[in-house]
Amino acid sequence: MAGGGKVACAAWIRRREDKATRVFAVYGRAAAAESAVEVLGFDSQDCSLSSEPLARAVLGEEPGDAPRGIAVHPSGDELVCATAKGCRLFKLIFEEFTVRLLSRDVPSLDSVGPQKCLAFSTDGAKFAIGGEDGHLRIFHWPSMNVLLDEPKAHKSFQDMDISLDSEFLVSTSTDGSARIWKIDEGAPLVNLTRSSDEKIECCRFSRDGMKPFLFCTVAKGNKVVTVVWNISDWSRIGYKRLLGKPISTLSVSMDGKYLALGSHDGDFCAVDVKKMEVSHWSKKVHLGSPVSSIEFCPTERAVISTSHQWGAELTKLNVPADWKEWQVWLILISLFLASAILFYMFYERSDSFWNFPMGRHQPAKPWNVLKESPPVPEDKNP
């Protein structure tokens, strides 16, 4: 591809338009010559990305310009790319056959230093960044008014996520602690409980819109389990060992039906949230290298996984297919037509009650059955 270099980070772009939803992928490439952000087209039929980028923006030629993470606004109109120097904002301009990336200066983001975590809220009204120095910043988007600025939120950030209703933010530290923040109040709410030998590492809120939960991976020695918290009182509901090895990253699909867990040796699996069972397993995708991120496609059962050694890999998940909207309508129309045909057949083959004639076509009274003589017609002639 143009510019070369390994893919250091990746994300999906979903564009809702009048006729359809368009999906793109964005790569952050780190190269010795120049680092860049690239936008690629996605073919849902073949589950593949375009061989050449549709748009490309250069980040710089210095080592500090290498991309470290990407967060895309839910509208698909903007994205933020984190580097060792700070964060860069890009405006996405979509035209009929072309895509453009326009850089925008944001003083409150340009010089914040290396950031480990970036996240937009689901409604797109809030943007949070967590730094390697443990500094947490939450902004109102796009005004960039500061909602929370906590320099000593953690020793150093490991993971972060915002709840579906944009009310809470969960963050984990490299020292194994985890904290819940109330975004609108701009203050910490509670620390998740753990024993002295436990480390809370990765975290994600549920996304299915039903009863909300918090998923966290918890390491205790060589044993790693996925623990579920109830966000109403922040108590543990239960846990399950899914991947069976140390976990490097955790992700959740946009509809909340699947979790993805990546390992330190390059494997990853997809988990059915309803059953909490592994539905897909990909081994040696990033052989011997920790999976740094897993991003679910917004419209298809596919993921982009990244690692520092092997770059990005697009994988189609081997899970049961979802019902499409047109398939649901087809079933409903078929049921309606089948009901109409059955009613017509029942009507045609039914007894005389259903075929009872109306009006002047009714037959004469069966006087012979009643054993009475029929009335004599009255003579109307004068």
Side-chain angles (χ1 to χ4, degrees), residues 61-79:
E61 300 178 356
E62 300 178 5
D65 295 318
R68 297 191 172 194
I70 293 176
V72 179
H73 191 271
S75 66
D77 294 331
E78 297 168 305
L79 66 87

Side-chain angles (χ1 to χ4, degrees), residues 367-379:
W367 296 103
N368 59 331
V369 177
L370 298 176
K371 297 181 180 180
E372 295 183 10
S373 299
V376 179
E378 181 179 353
D379 189 2

Side-chain angles (χ1 to χ4, degrees), residues 44-300:
S44 60
Q45 298 294 329
D46 299 331
C47 193
S48 61
L49 298 174
S50 58
S51 58
E52 294 294 328
L54 303 177
R56 189 171 188 269
V58 176
L59 294 171
E61 300 178 356
E62 300 178 5
D65 295 318
R68 297 191 172 194
I70 293 176
V72 179
H73 191 271
S75 66
D77 294 331
E78 297 168 305
L79 66 87
V80 178
C81 180
T83 67
K85 297 178 180 178
C87 295
R88 298 278 301 275
L89 173 64
F90 291 92
K91 181 74 174 177
L92 290 155
I93 307 297
F94 291 89
E95 298 172 349
E96 188 174 359
F97 299 106
T98 60
V99 182
R100 290 186 294 158
L101 279 169
L102 301 179
S103 179
R104 292 285 187 264
D105 292 330
V106 183
S108 54
L109 296 177
D110 291 341
S111 57
V112 293
Q115 301 299 302
K116 182 68 183 296
C117 307
L118 304 88
F120 279 101
S121 61
T122 305
D123 59 7
K126 300 174 180 68
F127 176 65
I129 53 176
E132 293 183 359
D133 58 356
H135 196 149
L136 173 63
R137 299 174 177 89
I138 304 178
F139 304 93
H140 189 277
W141 196 270
S143 66
M144 298 307 294
N145 293 330
V146 177
L147 298 175
L148 187 148
D149 189 346
E150 179 52 64
K152 297 181 180 180
H154 290 294
K155 179 181 179 180
S156 180
F157 268 78
Q158 177 157 334
D159 202 5
M160 182 179 71
D161 193 31
I162 298 176
S163 62
L164 184 64
D165 58 4
S166 306
E167 184 178 359
F168 303 109
L169 181 143
V170 58
S171 59
T172 61
S173 173
T174 53
D175 62 9
S177 62
R179 180 176 283 185
I180 305 297
W181 306 79
K182 195 72 176 290
I183 295 179
D184 291 335
E185 297 177 3
L189 180 65
V190 66
N191 291 332
L192 295 182
T193 57
R194 63 187 178 103
S195 60
S196 58
D197 57 348
E198 286 183 334
K199 293 185 67 176
I200 304 174
E201 298 177 332
C202 304
C203 55
R204 284 296 181 272
F205 283 102
S206 60
R207 286 281 186 271
D208 59 0
M210 305 298 287
K211 188 174 182 180
F213 298 107
L214 171 63
F215 302 98
C216 293
T217 60
V218 179
K220 187 175 182 179
N222 294 327
K223 183 180 178 181
V224 181
V225 295
T226 302
V227 182
V228 182
W229 266 269
N230 186 345
I231 74 169
S232 61
D233 57 4
W234 305 108
S235 61
R236 292 193 184 194
I237 297 175
Y239 67 90
K240 192 168 186 179
R241 192 174 186 181
L242 297 169
L243 196 56
K245 57 181 69 178
I247 296 171
S248 58
T249 187
L250 175 67
S251 181
V252 62
S253 62
M254 188 168 291
D255 59 5
K257 293 183 178 180
Y258 290 94
L259 287 174
L261 298 94
S263 71
H264 284 276
D265 60 0
D267 299 349
F268 78 83
C269 70
V271 177
D272 187 327
V273 171
K274 189 175 182 179
K275 300 178 182 178
M276 286 304 284
E277 296 177 354
V278 175
S279 298
H280 173 94
W281 197 298
S282 289
K283 295 185 177 181
K284 302 179 180 179
V285 179
H286 301 271
L287 181 61
S289 180
V291 180
S292 55
S293 70
I294 301 175
E295 298 292 333
F296 280 90
C297 177
T299 57
E300 306 296 328

Side-chain angles (χ1 to χ4, degrees), residues 18-19 22 39 73 154 162 226 274 308 318 336 342 376:
D18 295 337
K19 297 181 179 180
R22 301 173 66 189
V39 177
H73 191 271
H154 290 294
I162 298 176
T226 302
K274 189 175 182 179
H308 297 298
N318 185 21
F336 175 78
L342 288 174
V376 179

